[in-house]
Structure formats: C-alpha cells, structure tokens
C-alpha cells in the first residue's frame, strides 16, 4: 500500500510541491518518496502515540528498522507531545544508532527534525456553535428528556483503546458507593460506529451493550435510566448541544495520541462551566492540566473522579474552564498546521544550505577536470569513517579489496603523493597498507612513515602518564558494558561504539570531567571522536602533521577527505585552492561534503581513472 502511494505521489508531485504525510498507516512512505523524489520537501505527522523503546523493541528487528527508516525519510516528523517525540528519538538512537542534537538527526542523505506540534481544534466553531439557535434548540430537547439531572457525557469511537468498558464499570461503582446519585445522575454514552466488519469490534460492541443493560437493570427505576446508550454518529448540532449542557465530560481512553473530544468539550462551554475528567494516557492532558486527571485503568479512582467532578463548585469550574479555553483559543488547528508547514519550509532552507556543498555529478566533474591538468598532487585521506565505515570493534574495520585497489591505482601515478592521516596506531596501518606506496601518518600525527622508509616519531612524546590513567579508563569500562580500551604507542583510546548509547552519553560526560580534573596542568589532550575518546600528549595533531607534508614541496592539486572534528584541523590550515571534503552532511570548514564512505570511494575511483 505504501509503495502504491509512493508511485502515485511521485507521478503527481511537482518540483515546488510540499508533501505532508499523515499517520501510522503510511510510516514507510517518507523513505520511499525520498528515494523517488530526492530533494523534495517531505513532512510526516503521527496522530497516535509513539511507544517507548521498551515497547517498540518488541517488534521483529526488520520491522522496527523499516518503520524508523521510513519515518526518517521525511525532513520533518511531527508528534502530538514532547513525550512521543522523545520516544521516537530514543528508538532511533538505540535501534539505528542515529544520535540527535536538539531533535535534529543528521543522515548521509539529508537532515531530519523531530518536533512537537499538539493538534488543536477550530475553537471558534465549537465556542460560537454552542450559542447558536440550532444548538440551543437541541439542548432544550435533551434537557426536557433528561430533566434536571446531572449529565455525565461520554462520546467515543468504538475502539478498544478508548476504555469505554472501564468507564461503565467505574460508573457502576460510583452508583454503588454513592446511593444519593440514584435518580439524580445520568451517563449519556454515545458510541460512534467503527470497523463494524471486524469480528473483535462486534464482540466489543456486544460487551458494551451487555454492561449497559446490567447497570440499567440493577439501578434503573421508573422514570430514570442510569445509562442512556446510543450507537450512532452525531451531527455537529446535536454533539455541540450535548457538550454545552453536560455537567461532566468523561474522556478516559486507555491510550490516545491527542483526543480532540476533550478540547471540543472545553471549547463548547460558552457558559464557562463544566468539568472535564481526562485520562492521563491521552496526549491532550499535556495541555489540559486543569482537568481532573485520572488513570483510566483504576476503576475506583475513576469513580472518585466522577464524584469530585459532580461536586465541584461552579466558581472552581469557571476558573478551570477559563484557563483551558484561553490555551485552546491561542493554539488552534490553523496554528498547528501553519506551525508545521512553516517549520517544514525552514527545513527546506536548511537542507538546501547543507546539500549545496554535496559533491554531486557536476562538482565531481569540475574536480576531475582540474585534476587532469595538474602535475603534482597530494591526497590527504582519513581512514575510519572515510575510507571504511565504522565497526563495533576497530580491528574489524579492515580496508576492502576495492579500497586497496583504488589506493594502489592512485599511488601508481608518479604525479600523486597519497597519505593516510589517521588516529590508528602505526602497526595497524602498516598491516592494512604495507606495500602500496602510501605515506602513513599514525596516531593523529605522532608517527610518520614514508614509502620505502621506517617509522619515525615527529615529536618526542612521553608515555609515562599511561599507568596513571589506565585504571580510570578501566573503571569506566567496567561500568559500561561494551566499552573497550585501545592502547596506542603514544595514546589511549576508550571506545564505546558497542555500548548502550544512552548509558554511554551519561558516562562519557562523567569520564570527561574525571579526566579533565586529572590532567589539569599537564600537557595531555583529551579528544572526542565518533564513539571514541582519546587521551594523548598535546602539541601534535593532524593539522601539524599535514603542515609538515605541505612543506615538502609545491602541489598544484590538493585533496583532503575526513569525517570527524580531528579532520577539521586539516581543513582549516590547507592553502587557498585546495579541495577539502567532509564525509557526512553536516557543518564543516570543508568546501564539499560527500554522504558516506561509498561516496568517497566513488570519487577516488573517478580520479584514479579520469579518462573513464
């Protein structure tokens, strides 16, 4: 079904169109459209709760990854409440390893913003409608039928999430505990037909009707029916009339994304009175905190909430209604839609700003043309996250045959000097690239090896500090399952790629504070990379190492590629005219971006074979 939607939309959407997708049935659609319509403005809004990670993780692995990836195809993903937004971001982090900054997730292809937009209503429609002649006539008919009894109103679609049976059982308990309500209170229960062909919904309807019959049979008297039950749709006039005269609105779903019935009831109270009993499981509770908030699973608490509502003084009712109406009047459905679309337009501007630097076919062709006309070239290439993707265990991130073949092709050209500038230790780099003719720079510039020569240290650095810091790193490794320590010649690296991401965020901050206080007034430097923290002597970095390489000669073509902030040292000090490329769509000092290591390999392959 999502594929069919994608095909039709892709055929119909114009270049300047915005696409706004709604609700859970189409959760896969944003990513499908992103593939078919790259660069198009795509928004998604979820009208149901997004579950916590503990619930979402129960889905089969393939399903949960596809749902999250589907949503991340949008530029903007909207949710009713802050809680739902955080649940989504937590699942994206724990399942797909996509971290966020203030709700923004940076992906190789684009940037995604997750944000909260509580759905409003047309406040004026309900508020003004409650004072209309039509509504007044309907209200008079209802009041004549029910007399001067207190009215508790329940209006809901037939659905297992609405908790209709729970509120019936609670109403029965109310009549049990407070006999004085006999003959004086009526529950008007309106159930709107839904999914009538589904067997389970038919069974639910029968169960509701049996419970209504039981309550009426047990408590009813001549002239008083405790539960007035109707199974039908209500036109606007009759619904507004019910809202306007009901003393209490019982809106107690077991789970609900927002629930607009609660907002409609408050808006329709033109007289300023009435009491809203609202489930703490409904998204609307975040905005309607002046309601009597109750756990819909607790029948006793629900019965007491009805009793409190029926006993509330008019002055207190007006105070609460006034505050809620003011809030609903300010944030209407129009404001909701405008806020979403405005944010979507802002995301389009953000995407354009970042994607303008992405090295597409046109920019790549210009780079190739310049490359062809040069005679002395320097390549400065990071390794992890640039030539290869990241791995849970660093030793497993080995260069692929394709990477080795492209590097050898570049090195075979006598006009090229190709240097790998990495944070890796020297032994690992030599194991990976022995015999290719590369210049190797290890441990962020501490060690250098030219083709045909031995390793040499660029600056004399002491490692006497290691025994003091190893126990600290070991302590945090024990506290964070999945973390590991990598000992390099002149540095210590603490990796946490395999650890729980949320626990890691907390402990990384603690470890940083611990190390900062321990290394104060020393020449040690603490560096944070992609899921790694490294401690080493200050004064040597990739920038200083590259400066040494640049002093060896004059180059008419320089290309530097890297993926994290340690490579920014290199980008900043490159001479004018040099080409710098950041892996990933993010803010950078580099002139260009590529989306991922596959993009790097494609670029290097094109340069290695410029005539193809």
């Amino acid at each position: 079904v999502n594929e069919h939607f994608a095909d039709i939309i892709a055929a119909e959407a114009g270049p300047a169109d915005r696409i706004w997708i709604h609700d859970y049935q189409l959760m896969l659609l944003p990513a499908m459209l992103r593939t078919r319509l790259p660069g198009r403005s795509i928004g998604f809004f979820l009208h149901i709760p997004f579950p916590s990670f503990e619930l979402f993780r129960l889905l089969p692995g393939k399903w949960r990854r596809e749902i999250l990836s589907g949503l991340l195809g949008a530029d903007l993903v909207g949710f009713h409440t802050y809680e739902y937004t955080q649940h989504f971001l937590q699942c994206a982090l724990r399942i797909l390893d996509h971290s966020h900054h203030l709700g923004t997730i940076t992906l190789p292809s684009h940037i995604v913003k997750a944000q909260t937009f509580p759905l409003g209503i047309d406040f004026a429609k309900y508020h003004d409608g409650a004072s209309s002649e039509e509504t007044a006539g309907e209200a008079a008919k209802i009041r004549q039928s029910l007399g001067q009894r207190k009215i508790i109103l329940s209006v809901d679609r037939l659905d297992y999430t609405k908790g209709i049976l729970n509120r019936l059982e609670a109403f029965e308990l109310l009549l049990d505990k407070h006999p004085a309500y006999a003959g004086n209170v009526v529950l008007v229960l309106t159930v709107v037909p839904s999914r009538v062909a589904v067997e389970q919904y038919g069974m639910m309807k029968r169960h509701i009707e049996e419970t209504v019959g039981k309550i009426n049979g047990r408590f009813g008297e001549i002239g008083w029916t405790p539960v007035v039950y109707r199974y039908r749709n209500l036109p606007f006039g009759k619904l507004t009339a019910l809202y306007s005269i009901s003393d209490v609105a019982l809106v107690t779903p077991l789970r609900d994304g927002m629930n607009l019935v609660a907002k409609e009831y408050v808006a329709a109270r033109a007289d300023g009175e009435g009491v809203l009993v609202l489930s703490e499981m409904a998204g609307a509770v975040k905005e309607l905190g002046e309601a009597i908030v109750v756990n819909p699973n607790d029948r006793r608490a629900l019965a007491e909430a009805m009793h409190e509502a029926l006993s509330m003084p008019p002055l207190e009712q007006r105070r609460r209604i006034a505050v809620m109406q003011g809030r609903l009047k300010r944030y209407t459905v129009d404001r909701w839609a405008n806020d979403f679309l405005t944010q979507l337009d802002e995301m389009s501007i953000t995407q354009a700003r970042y994607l303008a630097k992405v090295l597409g076919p046109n920019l790549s062709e210009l780079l190739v043309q310049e490359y062809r006309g040069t005679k002395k070239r320097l390549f400065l290439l990071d390794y992890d996250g640039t030539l290869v993707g990241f791995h849970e265990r660093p030793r497993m991130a080995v260069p692929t045959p394709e990477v080795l073949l492209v590097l050898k092709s570049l090195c075979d050209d006598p006009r090229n000097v190709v240097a790998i500038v990495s944070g890796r230790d020297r032994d690992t780099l030599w194991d990976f690239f022995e015999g290719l003719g590369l210049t190797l720079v290890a441990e962020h510039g501490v060690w250098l090896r030219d083709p045909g020569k031995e390793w040499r240290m660029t600056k004399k650095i002491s490692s006497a500090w290691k025994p003091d810091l190893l126990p600290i790193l070991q302590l945090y490794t024990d506290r964070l399952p999945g973390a590991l320590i990598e000992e390099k010649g002149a540095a210590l690296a603490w990796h946490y790629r395999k650890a729980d991401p949320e626990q890691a965020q907390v402990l990384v901050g603690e470890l940083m504070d611990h190390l900062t206080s321990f290394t104060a007034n020393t020449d040690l430097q603490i560096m944070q990379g992609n899921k790694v923290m490294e401690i080493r002597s200050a004064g040597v970095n990739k920038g200083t190492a590259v400066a040494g390489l640049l002093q060896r000669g004059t180059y008419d073509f320089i290309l530097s590629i890297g993926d994290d902030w340690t490579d920014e040292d290199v980008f900043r000090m490159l001479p004018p005219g040099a080409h710098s490329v950041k892996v990933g769509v993010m803010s950078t000092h580099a002139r260009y971006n590529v989306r991922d290591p596959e993009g790097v390999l494609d670029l290097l392959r094109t340069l290695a074979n410029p005539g193809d």
Side-chain angles (χ1 to χ4, degrees):
V1 170
N2 280 252
E3 290 279 6
H4 188 57
F5 267 86
D7 291 339
I8 299 299
I9 293 170
E12 295 291 334
D17 288 345
R18 293 175 294 183
I19 302 168
W20 193 1
I21 304 164
H22 288 266
D23 224 2
Y24 66 94
Q25 298 94 335
L26 299 177
M27 279 174 145
L28 304 179
L29 182 56
M32 294 175 181
L33 287 176
R34 178 69 54 188
T35 301
R36 291 166 170 79
L37 302 171
R40 205 60 52 88
S41 180
I42 302 172
F44 181 94
F45 193 86
L46 186 67
H47 290 270
I48 64 169
F50 196 94
S52 68
F53 171 69
E54 288 302 318
L55 286 177
F56 193 77
R57 72 192 297 193
L58 298 178
L59 291 174
K62 185 172 184 290
W63 294 5
R64 62 194 186 195
R65 287 190 296 271
E66 285 185 354
I67 290 172
L68 290 172
S69 298
L71 291 174
L72 290 171
D75 300 285
L76 178 64
V77 185
F79 302 90
H80 282 306
T81 72
Y82 175 79
E83 180 183 52
Y84 305 159
T85 305
Q86 293 306 305
H87 286 169
F88 168 73
L89 292 170
Q90 182 189 46
C91 290
L93 173 65
R94 286 179 167 269
I95 294 170
L96 298 181
D97 198 28
H98 292 323
S99 59
H100 73 94
H101 176 67
L102 300 178
T104 299
I105 298 174
T106 301
L107 301 176
S109 58
H110 65 294
I111 298 165
V112 185
K113 179 81 171 179
Q115 200 157 324
T116 303
F117 303 91
L119 178 62
I121 60 170
D122 185 343
F123 181 87
K125 175 183 177 182
Y126 288 91
H127 193 70
D128 298 344
S131 305
S132 69
E133 290 185 12
E134 178 190 0
T135 301
E138 289 290 345
K141 291 178 187 177
I142 298 170
R143 180 54 71 189
Q144 183 178 8
S145 171
L146 299 178
Q148 295 306 308
R149 297 183 178 94
K150 294 273 191 177
I151 300 172
I152 300 176
L153 176 64
S154 169
V155 179
D156 268 310
R157 181 170 52 82
L158 180 66
D159 195 285
Y160 55 86
T161 65
K162 299 302 181 181
I164 298 172
L165 282 168
N166 294 46
R167 68 188 73 163
L168 279 171
E169 291 167 357
F171 183 66
E172 182 179 13
L173 191 59
L174 173 73
L175 298 179
D176 251 336
K177 292 183 65 177
H178 299 278
Y181 286 131
N184 296 315
V185 175
V186 61
L187 172 63
V188 177
L189 180 69
T190 298
V191 178
V192 178
S194 174
R195 301 179 176 94
V196 292
V198 180
E199 181 182 355
Q200 287 85 348
Y201 282 74
M203 292 171 59
M204 189 190 322
K205 177 176 178 288
R206 289 193 296 273
H207 197 175
I208 290 170
E209 290 170 350
E210 288 168 1
T211 306
V212 169
K214 183 183 76 167
I215 294 172
N216 286 341
R218 180 181 173 196
F219 295 98
E221 301 171 357
I222 295 174
W224 175 58
T225 303
V227 182
V228 177
Y229 168 71
R230 291 183 296 182
Y231 180 68
R232 68 185 72 164
N233 284 296
L234 288 180
F236 174 76
K238 290 187 177 181
L239 178 61
T240 310
L242 271 173
Y243 286 154
S244 67
I245 66 168
S246 295
D247 301 277
V248 178
L250 202 56
V251 185
T252 56
L254 304 179
R255 201 76 173 97
D256 222 337
M258 175 53 69
N259 196 297
L260 299 183
V261 170
K263 295 187 174 185
E264 291 168 4
Y265 172 76
V266 171
R269 297 306 308 206
D271 62 355
E273 295 186 2
V275 183
L276 174 64
V277 177
L278 183 58
S279 166
E280 63 185 25
M281 308 298 179
V285 76
K286 305 298 182 184
E287 298 170 85
L288 303 177
E290 291 74 22
I292 297 176
V293 179
V294 66
N295 180 350
N297 298 292
D298 186 342
R299 289 182 304 161
R300 291 185 180 278
L302 190 50
E304 285 307 307
M306 284 187 262
H307 175 59
E308 180 185 351
L310 292 166
S311 308
M312 186 176 293
L315 186 63
E316 177 63 11
Q317 293 181 32
R318 286 192 288 270
R319 184 192 71 79
R320 295 186 183 213
I321 288 289
V323 175
M324 291 189 285
Q325 284 185 347
R327 199 173 293 128
L328 296 181
K329 194 183 301 183
R330 290 189 297 273
Y331 203 91
T332 64
V333 65
D334 290 338
R335 168 88 179 273
W336 168 79
N338 287 332
D339 281 359
F340 187 94
L341 293 174
T342 298
Q343 185 66 54
L344 185 59
D345 288 342
E346 290 177 3
M347 286 303 299
S348 295
I349 296 170
T350 301
Q351 303 287 14
R353 185 170 67 248
Y354 280 96
L355 296 178
K357 297 173 62 175
V358 171
L359 204 59
N362 293 336
L363 289 175
S364 295
E365 180 58 31
L366 292 175
L367 208 61
V368 170
Q369 290 178 9
E370 182 178 336
Y371 177 81
R372 285 173 178 161
T374 55
K375 296 181 179 179
K376 192 169 184 183
R377 308 148 175 168
L378 176 63
F379 290 82
L380 303 166
L381 308 176
D382 179 39
Y383 180 70
D384 291 288
T386 300
L387 293 176
V388 298
F390 290 103
H391 198 279
E392 290 178 349
R393 306 195 72 83
R395 290 290 299 184
M396 301 300 293
V398 299
T400 64
E402 292 81 5
V403 168
L404 296 175
L405 181 61
V406 168
L407 292 176
K408 187 173 188 312
S409 297
L410 290 172
C411 290
D412 287 345
D413 189 327
R415 294 169 291 183
N416 295 340
V417 175
V418 184
I420 303 294
V421 185
S422 172
R424 291 279 188 148
D425 65 271
R426 51 182 174 154
D427 293 336
T428 298
L429 286 184
W430 185 243
D431 288 343
F432 287 167
F433 300 114
E434 179 182 2
L436 289 186
L438 294 163
T439 297
L440 301 177
V441 180
E443 298 185 29
H444 300 288
V446 175
W447 292 94
L448 173 68
R449 182 165 188 158
D450 290 310
K453 297 184 179 179
E454 296 299 317
W455 286 102
R456 65 180 179 86
M457 188 175 272
T458 59
K459 179 182 177 181
K460 192 67 176 176
I461 292 177
S462 170
S463 299
W465 51 269
K466 282 187 179 180
D468 295 326
L469 288 188
L470 270 171
I472 297 175
L473 294 182
Q474 189 60 60
L475 171 64
Y476 284 86
T477 302
D478 294 340
R479 290 178 61 189
L480 183 63
L484 59 93
I485 301 170
E486 178 188 7
E487 185 168 357
K488 303 178 182 180
L492 291 173
W494 189 69
H495 297 270
Y496 51 94
R497 184 167 303 280
K498 200 176 178 182
D500 179 280
E502 290 186 299
Q503 186 183 4
Q505 286 179 348
V506 175
L507 288 180
V508 164
E510 286 187 24
L511 177 56
M512 175 61 81
D513 289 343
H514 197 158
L515 292 175
T516 300
S517 62
F518 193 89
T519 59
N521 301 317
T522 71
D523 67 345
L524 294 179
Q525 182 181 25
I526 304 168
M527 304 168 62
Q528 279 192 281
N530 194 315
K531 301 293 180 70
V532 61
M533 184 182 294
E534 187 165 312
I535 307 99
R536 60 180 186 68
S537 296
V540 178
N541 58 46
K542 287 184 177 182
T544 58
V546 167
L549 295 177
L550 291 172
Q551 291 171 2
R552 295 181 174 188
T554 302
Y555 301 94
D556 49 7
F557 180 89
I558 300 174
L559 175 61
S560 174
I561 310 178
D563 76 296
D564 71 19
W565 72 270
T566 61
D567 299 295
E568 297 294 326
D569 293 331
V570 178
F571 300 151
R572 278 192 292 266
M573 54 79 55
L574 290 174
H579 299 284
S580 50
V581 179
K582 180 83 166 188
V583 183
V585 181
M586 61 192 75
S587 180
T588 176
H589 287 91
R591 291 176 62 182
Y592 312 115
N593 295 84
V594 294
R595 300 185 191 280
D596 48 38
E598 287 73 21
V600 174
L601 188 58
D602 288 341
L603 174 61
L604 295 179
R605 188 185 292 115
T606 302
L607 294 176
N609 304 281
D612 293 355

